Amino acid sequence: DAGVTQSPTHLIKTRGQQVTLRCSPKSGHDTVSWYQQALGQGPQFIFQYYEEEERQRGNFPDRFSGHQFPNYSSELNVNALLLGDSALYLCASSRDPLARDSPDTQYFGPGTRLTVL
Amino acid sequence: GIQVEQSPPDLILQEGANSTLRCNFSDSVNNLQWFHQNPWGQLINLFYIPSGTKQNGRLSATTVATERYSLLYISSSQTTDSGVYFCAVERSNQFYFGTGTSLTVIP
């Protein structure tokens, strides 16, 4: 049973560029959430996708956008990169309707480390 | 949003010692999870515990939702327990993480 996977593992971009990060959820999960984790801090919620729609959004500018595909995989896009966007980007999947115990448990992928120069 | 405070921020233990990590949150929540982040950044799910008590080996957790706190107990600590422990809460599909407790277990 594959867990949550993310690609790429590392990425280096320059200011002003655009980046796309990818996430495949754990088997059986239909909900994907994205987080940004700066060095030394806790993850910050960016948004959540369910049924191919953005269901909830944290306090992030419109430069951060996403997409969910019919197979439940998801992309995070960041436009006009700033130095401050350098962080570990984490994807979590959840909501297995067949899990009687704790169906909303979030499982995290290994993350994509983005460096903006 | 919901404020999540974790204490202590840093903890150094001798191998074999016990510890208690605390998570306070500012409002009612639907869900609460505890995670361990290893040195490579991977967040490992420890407990899904919006209320009550659960145990898994040397770890146990208790959430008292009415008083808005949760506790994570680590017994007989091992060097592999080192890392950062996060508490995360959810309400209305919005998720909030604490700032974490950094645990170092020395042999």
Side-chain angles (χ1 to χ4, degrees):
Chain A
D1 178 20
V4 181
T5 60
Q6 293 185 243
S7 63
T9 54
H10 295 84
L11 204 51
I12 298 175
K13 292 285 189 178
T14 56
R15 280 179 298 175
Q17 284 189 311
Q18 179 264 345
V19 68
T20 297
L21 309 182
R22 295 175 176 82
C23 171
S24 290
K26 189 176 186 294
S27 177
H29 286 183
D30 62 8
T31 302
V32 173
S33 302
W34 286 93
Y35 294 81
Q36 179 195 67
Q37 186 177 20
L39 201 60
Q41 297 182 20
Q44 299 290 312
F45 174 70
I46 303 175
F47 42 53
Q48 183 183 77
Y49 275 84
Y50 170 68
E51 292 188 341
E52 302 180 48
E53 302 250 339
E54 183 184 287
R55 176 158 71 173
Q56 189 57 272
R57 188 179 183 92
N59 189 25
F60 278 81
D62 292 344
R63 298 187 299 110
F64 290 77
S65 63
H67 188 77
Q68 186 178 34
F69 299 94
N71 66 353
Y72 308 122
S73 67
S74 177
E75 289 182 347
L76 165 65
N77 301 293
V78 187
N79 294 324
L81 284 167
L82 304 174
L83 296 179
D85 294 332
S86 295
L88 179 67
Y89 288 85
L90 294 162
C91 168
S93 72
S94 59
R95 222 189 77 88
D96 181 354
L98 299 181
R100 290 181 300 162
D101 181 34
S102 59
D104 294 316
T105 302
Q106 288 197 91
Y107 292 87
F108 280 79
T112 293
R113 195 165 295 279
L114 172 65
T115 301
V116 182
L117 302 176
Chain B
I2 298 176
Q3 307 303 312
V4 182
E5 296 180 355
Q6 292 186 241
S7 60
D10 299 282
L11 190 56
I12 300 175
L13 296 176
Q14 200 77 36
E15 198 169 25
N18 303 327
S19 62
T20 300
L21 281 57
R22 187 176 180 101
C23 170
N24 292 331
F25 44 98
S26 62
D27 207 340
S28 61
V29 298
N30 295 330
N31 298 314
L32 186 146
Q33 280 186 257
W34 282 97
F35 295 93
H36 175 216
Q37 189 165 41
N38 65 25
W40 298 271
Q42 175 76 56
L43 278 165
I44 310 295
N45 177 47
L46 297 177
F47 292 103
Y48 172 92
I49 186 165
S51 64
T53 297
K54 289 187 178 179
Q55 179 156 8
N56 184 5
R58 297 181 296 104
L59 303 181
S60 64
T62 295
T63 298
V64 183
T66 53
E67 297 188 20
R68 299 178 187 165
Y69 74 88
S70 183
L71 302 173
L72 177 68
Y73 306 97
I74 304 174
S75 64
S76 304
S77 58
Q78 301 175 357
T79 55
T80 52
D81 294 332
S82 296
V84 182
Y85 289 80
F86 286 105
C87 163
V89 302
E90 177 269 329
R91 189 175 74 179
S92 302
N93 297 310
Q94 277 267 15
F95 297 85
Y96 306 88
F97 273 73
T99 50
T101 291
S102 179
L103 174 65
T104 302
V105 181
I106 54 178

